[in-house]
């Protein structure tokens, strides 16, 4: 067992995108690969944690025996899975790139081409971290992620407060090599009274940095 052990701790962690169906063929989604979330899951498991990983559609697999994967597709499915497991969690990590909106009506048959325009009415999905932040029990430690393109620090700090998080991991699409589709990431971890910036690293190394800081906060 490595130093900074999470033995006896349960980590509930989300990863990957969500796909919100338009019809049986099409969906609204994003470019998340799940690599950051899966790297975190592997790091926690290697440190002795029991990891409950709720994953959107990805092409990678979790290999560690201490990682139990629940596969979901939509934001509603992810919320239901996380809510069911949240009470047993010591640590909650919201690393998934959940779609903010979904089609109000899902067609039961493929929508055929007709005319030059197609209007799809969207409704807001549940904000999983925010909803569960209202129900967070004493002693739970929760971590969110913020992928931003402008006003990065201000937007992340606002999410930290509104969602009742203990820390939020900020990455910016303005940083080369960070964000979706990369094996690397460059993050800044924002807490109520602290900000810690890291250089561009492999996502496996970024996961180590995040997990180390979580350990320090819950054992400090």
């Amino acid at each position: 067992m490595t130093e900074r052990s999470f033995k006896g701790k349960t980590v509930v962690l989300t990863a990957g995108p969500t796909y919100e169906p338009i019809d049986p063929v099409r969906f609204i989604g994003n470019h998340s690969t799940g690599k950051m979330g899966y790297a975190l899951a592997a790091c926690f498991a290697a440190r002795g944690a029991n990891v409950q990983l709720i994953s959107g559609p990805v092409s990678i697999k979790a290999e560690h025996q201490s990682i139990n994967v629940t596969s979901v597709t939509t934001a509603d499915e992810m919320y239901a899975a996380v809510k069911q497991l949240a009470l047993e969690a010591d640590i909650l990590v919201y690393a998934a790139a959940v779609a903010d909106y979904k089609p109000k009506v899902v067609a039961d048959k493929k929508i055929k081409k007709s005319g030059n325009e197609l209007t799809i009415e969207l409704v807001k999905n549940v904000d999983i971290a925010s909803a569960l932040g209202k129900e967070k029990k004493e002693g739970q430690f929760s971590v969110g992620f913020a992928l931003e393109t402008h006003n990065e620090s201000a937007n992340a700090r606002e999410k930290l407060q509104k969602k009742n998080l203990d820390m939020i991991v900020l990455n910016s699409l303005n940083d080369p090599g960070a964000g979706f589709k990369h094996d690397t990431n460059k993050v800044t971890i924002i807490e109520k009274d602290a900000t810690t910036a890291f250089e561009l690293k492999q996502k496996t190394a970024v996961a180590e940095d995040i997990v180390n800081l979580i350990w320090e906060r819950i054992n400090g």
Side-chain angles (χ1 to χ4, degrees):
M1 188 68 62
T2 64
E3 191 180 0
R4 299 183 176 187
S5 171
F6 286 84
K7 186 176 182 180
K9 300 291 186 183
T10 295
V11 179
V12 174
L13 191 153
T14 67
T18 65
Y19 290 170
E20 310 302 324
I22 297 170
D23 63 18
V25 177
R26 306 174 182 90
F27 62 86
I28 295 171
N30 57 61
H31 297 296
S32 173
T33 61
K35 290 177 181 177
M36 191 68 253
Y38 274 67
L40 284 163
C43 187
F44 275 117
R47 303 280 188 91
N50 168 42
V51 181
Q52 295 287 345
L53 174 61
I54 299 94
S55 175
V58 297
S59 61
I60 52 180
K61 294 187 181 299
E63 304 292 344
H64 200 285
Q65 62 182 8
S66 295
I67 302 175
N68 180 62
V69 181
T70 301
S71 296
V72 299
T73 301
T74 68
D76 286 339
E77 291 170 353
M78 183 170 282
Y79 175 53
V82 178
K83 188 174 175 63
Q84 185 175 9
L85 295 166
L87 280 177
E88 68 184 65
D90 299 293
I91 301 165
L92 291 148
V93 182
Y94 304 103
V98 182
D100 292 326
Y101 293 88
K102 63 183 176 182
K104 185 174 183 178
V105 176
V106 179
D108 58 359
K109 295 180 181 178
K110 180 183 176 183
I111 300 171
K112 305 298 289 184
K113 279 191 290 188
S114 176
N116 294 324
E117 296 181 358
L118 173 65
T119 299
I120 299 173
E121 187 175 0
L122 303 178
V123 294
K124 189 177 287 188
N125 270 323
V126 62
D127 185 318
I128 297 173
S130 182
L132 292 175
K134 295 180 174 68
E135 303 173 5
K136 188 166 72 169
K137 67 181 184 181
E138 186 176 354
Q140 280 187 324
F141 194 92
S142 60
V143 182
F145 274 68
L147 179 64
E148 302 291 343
T149 60
H150 62 284
N151 297 332
E152 288 98 336
S153 295
N155 287 336
R157 194 164 287 282
E158 182 181 4
K159 290 178 180 179
L160 177 77
Q161 182 177 1
K162 288 177 65 175
K163 300 184 183 188
N164 195 22
L165 299 167
D166 295 287
M167 65 171 57
I168 192 161
V169 181
L170 168 64
N171 46 182
S172 170
L173 285 181
N174 294 315
D175 291 325
F180 295 147
K181 294 186 175 180
H182 296 289
D183 291 326
T184 54
N185 206 0
K186 181 180 180 181
V187 304
T188 299
I189 299 178
I190 297 174
E191 302 166 82
K192 182 180 179 181
D193 298 316
T195 300
T196 310
F198 297 90
E199 296 302 315
L200 184 73
K201 299 180 181 183
Q202 292 290 315
K203 286 183 175 175
T204 50
V206 175
E208 293 280 352
D209 289 335
I210 296 169
V211 170
N212 283 339
L213 194 54
I214 293 170
W215 187 93
E216 290 175 10
R217 294 300 182 257
I218 64 177
N219 291 281

